[in-house]
Amino acid sequence: MTGAMTAVTALTGEQAVQAHPLTGNVCQVRLASGATVVAKRGTGMVGAEAASLRWLAAADVIGVPAVLGQDANWLILQRIESGRATTEAAEEFGRRLAALHASGAPAFGQPPPDGPRDAWIGMAAMVNVPAPSWPEWYAEYRIRPYLRRSAGTFSAADVAVIDTVASKIQELAGPEEPPARLHGDLWNGNVVWGDDGHAWLIDPAAHGGHRETDLAMLTLFGCPHLNRVLAAYREVAPLADGWAARIPLHQLFPLLVHTELFGGGYAAQAVAAARAALSG
């Protein structure tokens, strides 16, 4: 607590007067002015998240917390007050997410400007390496590394199924799309339904990728009024034919990440996603 207050005072120039924990490495800190900020400690992770937030904010189409200060160990952010997930907010979220994706990226795998090559998704390492084509990049940097790191969790037959997805990625990937500006870790917990009536995005692992990946993540872990979100998204930016059948392909990456971090049931879900991707 003391460390968070010291960091907030040093990095914002405003006196911190009280702190209490939100999660293991995140504190809410009250300033002498009465305002509240969020302080996140994450040695080695701060630069990637700060660059991600700035890149998403630069699109100027969807709310993300402002970066108020950072150093090698601490990231100080605007506090977003929670509200209610209404159907109106969900539809606006779908439209704004489409606009975020459409703001684009220079290449698949491209990190945010000033963002590191070696980044993070949650507590798992993630490499951002630019590539000209999404299918090969997804197989090389989003399927195979996590399969290797979690190989002991899978049977040999299960490894073969997931590796087959990587090998057949060209025929499974669907029509070519330009690189989208992705949040990169868009599960429901990283969508804050603000008390201002808008959806805000937190904790990004931003990079240039395929827009269906963000949508598949929302589908994987659920989202309030998900059908309204997707319908509004598609009104603004129609999805290519077969997008729903490709959801398991895009879910394979976060499921492999969760297998690396948590093991167990996520391995079975990853194999099921791989089989569904192959069956189309």
Side-chain angles (χ1 to χ4, degrees):
M1 295 293 190
T2 302
M5 293 173 64
T6 300
V8 167
T9 299
L11 294 172
T12 68
E14 298 190 55
Q15 184 64 47
V17 296
Q18 187 179 42
H20 71 264
L22 298 175
T23 64
N25 66 334
V26 183
C27 290
Q28 179 175 292
V29 180
R30 185 166 60 85
L31 307 177
S33 65
T36 302
V37 299
V38 171
K40 300 183 68 174
R41 182 178 178 87
T43 304
M45 301 180 183
V46 167
E49 182 172 349
S52 290
L53 287 166
R54 291 189 177 107
W55 192 42
L56 300 185
D60 198 25
V61 294
I62 198 166
V64 297
V67 177
L68 304 177
Q70 70 180 99
D71 62 15
N73 299 311
W74 288 95
L75 180 61
I76 314 303
L77 301 172
Q78 172 189 6
R79 170 73 172 170
I80 308 302
E81 298 298 335
S82 297
R84 202 164 55 88
T86 64
T87 56
E88 293 81 4
E91 290 172 356
E92 181 194 64
F93 173 38
R95 293 189 292 269
R96 289 181 178 271
L97 182 61
L100 176 68
H101 290 164
S103 66
F108 296 107
Q110 181 75 38
D114 301 322
R117 172 187 183 275
D118 297 313
W120 301 86
I121 178 167
M123 298 300 292
M126 183 179 80
V127 174
N128 289 323
V129 177
S133 168
W134 182 80
E136 293 84 354
W137 170 82
Y138 188 68
E140 186 64 23
Y141 294 101
R142 293 298 185 264
I143 296 179
R144 288 192 168 119
Y146 299 91
L147 178 59
R148 286 194 297 269
R149 297 207 289 258
S150 302
T153 309
F154 296 102
S155 69
D158 291 342
V159 169
V161 170
I162 296 172
D163 191 60
T164 299
V165 172
S167 299
K168 293 186 173 182
I169 193 71
Q170 282 285 4
E171 62 191 78
L172 300 175
E176 290 187 12
E177 294 232 357
R181 189 173 307 199
L182 296 192
H183 176 281
D185 191 11
L186 196 58
W187 70 289
N188 180 52
N190 287 342
V191 180
V192 176
W193 302 93
D195 65 355
D196 59 358
H198 304 292
W200 293 68
L201 303 184
I202 65 170
D203 296 347
H207 60 278
H210 197 303
R211 61 199 180 115
E212 291 176 7
T213 301
D214 268 355
L215 301 180
M217 180 80 84
L218 280 178
T219 303
L220 177 61
F221 294 115
C223 176
H225 310 296
L226 179 60
N227 289 340
R228 303 291 281 270
V229 174
L230 294 176
Y233 183 104
R234 294 171 65 196
E235 287 175 7
V236 174
L239 295 164
D241 289 347
W243 70 272
R246 290 188 294 274
I247 287 174
L249 174 64
H250 292 271
Q251 289 178 342
L252 184 55
F253 166 54
L255 287 169
L256 287 171
V257 170
H258 277 69
T259 301
E260 178 187 348
L261 293 175
F262 308 114
Y266 288 110
Q269 290 184 58
V271 174
R275 293 187 189 281
L278 291 170
S279 66

